[in-house]
Structure formats: structure tokens, C-alpha cells
Amino acid sequence: MTNGDVETMDKDGQWVNRVIGEPERSESYSSKEEAIEEGQALADQLGTTHTVRPAVAMGDITDPQE
């Protein structure tokens, strides 16, 4: 990735768009879909590349069986 490229990734359960080399332009979103849409729009605006990083499985049980 080069400066100006946009990266969408999961960060502790929140989806984040970051612009490489410009941390002040980072934004967080509550849904993956919204982050991807906004990330692509930002990359289009900047004339750069947009990359989506898959969420890393944490192994946490979120809905335990009783």
C-alpha cells in the first residue's frame, strides 16, 4: 500500500477506514457494509486504491448455549 490508499478493517469489533500516511482522516463505523461503502467513495475521491481486510476470528463465544 502507498500513501493515500484507503484500507477498511475490523478493529476490535468496529470497522475502520484509514488513509495510509494520513491518520487524521481515519473514520470508524458500526457496520462493515457502511465502512466499505465509505472507504470506496473516499478512495474514488482521492484517486487511490481501496482494500478491505477480513476480520480476524477472535475465538470468542458470543451466543453461548445454555
Side-chain angles (χ1 to χ4, degrees), residues 1-7 18-26:
M1 297 188 83
T2 60
N3 282 343
D5 286 349
V6 179
E7 181 177 44
R18 71 178 185 129
V19 179
I20 305 302
E22 299 180 47
E24 68 277 1
R25 296 189 91 165
S26 293

Side-chain angles (χ1 to χ4, degrees), residues 6 8 15 17 29 31-45 50 52:
V6 179
T8 300
W15 284 88
N17 285 331
Y29 302 88
S31 76
K32 178 181 179 179
E33 293 77 17
E34 182 183 16
I36 290 172
E37 184 177 312
E38 293 295 323
Q40 185 61 59
L42 180 57
D44 290 346
Q45 176 186 346
H50 177 230
V52 179

